[in-house]
Amino acid sequence: MMVVSVDWSLLGLGALVGVLIGGVFFAGLALGVRAAMRSDRALTILMVSATVRILACLGAAWLVLMLLGPWGFAGFGVGFVLSRRVATSLACGRVPAEGAS
């Protein structure tokens, strides 16, 4: 029987980084959507925004994996999902767009 030892400090540090990166990711999403809604080139803005956000998130995840190992990476994933939950909860409280039901 194999015993797995959890490194709680790495898991917590990874979660903290995941929450921070998730916050930046979803703040960038909000800014990109706002900029796109005010522009004639919405598709271009959204594509550039998504590309930058995804590459930054993947780069941060790779760094966490390389520096903190698998426990830090697992914490990063948990932290990112937690920040997503907070972002969607905040977005649900917004006033709907004109014409939306």
Side-chain angles (χ1 to χ4, degrees):
M1 184 166 122
M2 189 169 109
V3 177
V4 177
S5 176
V6 177
D7 192 337
W8 293 104
S9 61
L10 290 178
L11 191 71
L13 184 57
L16 178 64
V17 173
V19 167
L20 293 174
I21 294 299
V24 170
F25 183 90
F26 293 109
L29 174 61
L31 291 174
V33 168
R34 283 185 186 210
M37 298 309 283
R38 294 181 183 140
S39 173
D40 294 334
R41 293 181 277 212
L43 183 61
T44 303
I45 291 172
L46 290 174
M47 286 176 33
V48 169
S49 172
T51 302
V52 169
R53 288 182 295 107
I54 290 167
L55 288 176
C57 186
L58 287 174
W62 182 81
L63 278 174
V64 166
L65 181 60
M66 292 296 110
L67 297 176
L68 301 180
W71 287 113
F73 187 64
F76 179 88
V78 170
F80 189 87
V81 169
L82 180 63
S83 70
R84 179 189 178 277
R85 176 74 173 125
V86 170
T88 54
S89 294
L90 291 173
C92 287
R94 304 276 177 177
V95 177
E98 185 178 319
S101 52

